[in-house]
Amino acid sequence: MSEFARRVSAEFLGSLLLAALVVGSGIAAQQLSPSDVGLQLLQNALATALGLFAIILIFAPVSGAHFNPVVSLVDAALGHRAWRDVAAYVPAQILGCISGAVVANLMFGLPAASISATERLTAPHLLAEVVATAGLVLVIFALVRSGRGHLAPAAVGAYIGAAYFFTSSTSFANPAITIGRMFSDTFAGIAPSAAPGYIAAQLAGGLLGFALVRLFYPSAGQGVRAAQAKAPDPAAALP
């Protein structure tokens, strides 16, 4: 398998596991705590945060572990990745998330695909998706451009886990997972009528996040150089 095919395959499988994680933990939470929505959300968020940390660790050395078209677009716009990769990553991510939702449904004995009836389209939800996606982009690329990319798996997992609660939309922040979640009429699902609005808000959030990254980290290594400039020179203390 070529290096390019390996990267695209990693994005597909990683996206599949992400969707299986989000949808599967949502189904499990719904079954374990049928009368407590708050507890369902906590279970879904905790499983997603921990699982996302592990999935990123697995695939980051291969493809960068995007699993998200917005992240791939910003990565290319910042000059970190070729647009050829993005053109292949995005379909792989979408197909992976749809496949992951199907796998999650089957693991819990549900029909392979069931179109969600959960309506989520409100103005506060759309604002929440802009905020959630912009924050995700800022977390990822602030670390990458300041030489702290090794912290991204933990930081992304922590941010997404927190965003389940501080955003009214429960932080989809990903067009591919939004499409995938249409195919499961369960706790984590989203109605097809709401998906286009969510995706538009996520793209707007990605653009905002890109602008913030360029503002605070105008060049790769910016944060590293700034820290080095402020650090005391050990040689200055020598006689």
Side-chain angles (χ1 to χ4, degrees), residues 6 53 64 106 168 187 198 232:
R6 186 175 290 109
F53 173 77
L106 292 174
S168 60
F187 180 78
Y198 267 54

Side-chain angles (χ1 to χ4, degrees), residues 137-162:
V137 168
L138 188 57
V139 166
I140 293 170
F141 291 101
L143 293 175
V144 169
R145 290 173 76 82
S146 62
R148 297 173 295 159
H150 62 284
L151 298 176
V156 170
Y159 176 80
I160 291 297

Side-chain angles (χ1 to χ4, degrees), residues 159-188:
Y159 176 80
I160 291 297
Y164 262 80
F165 287 92
F166 82 76
T167 65
S168 60
S169 64
T170 68
S171 183
F172 284 49
N174 181 338
I177 198 71
T178 301
I179 294 171
R181 288 167 73 163
M182 294 191 309
F183 292 88
S184 185
D185 190 18
T186 59
F187 180 78

Side-chain angles (χ1 to χ4, degrees), residues 55-154:
I55 295 170
I56 294 174
L57 284 177
I58 294 169
F59 293 107
V62 183
S63 67
H66 296 178
F67 319 139
N68 185 334
V70 170
V71 174
S72 297
L73 288 167
V74 173
D75 201 33
L78 289 171
H80 300 310
R81 188 164 301 274
W83 287 102
R84 171 176 176 255
D85 280 9
V86 178
Y89 275 21
V90 172
Q93 291 158 355
I94 293 171
L95 290 174
C97 284
I98 293 172
S99 301
V102 169
V103 169
N105 290 334
L106 292 174
M107 285 194 296
F108 286 89
L110 301 176
S114 56
I115 302 302
S116 176
T118 304
E119 288 290 346
R120 300 174 181 264
L121 191 60
T122 68
H125 286 158
L126 295 181
L127 175 60
E129 282 301 294
V130 172
V131 172
T133 310
L136 176 62
V137 168
L138 188 57
V139 166
I140 293 170
F141 291 101
L143 293 175
V144 169
R145 290 173 76 82
S146 62
R148 297 173 295 159
H150 62 284
L151 298 176

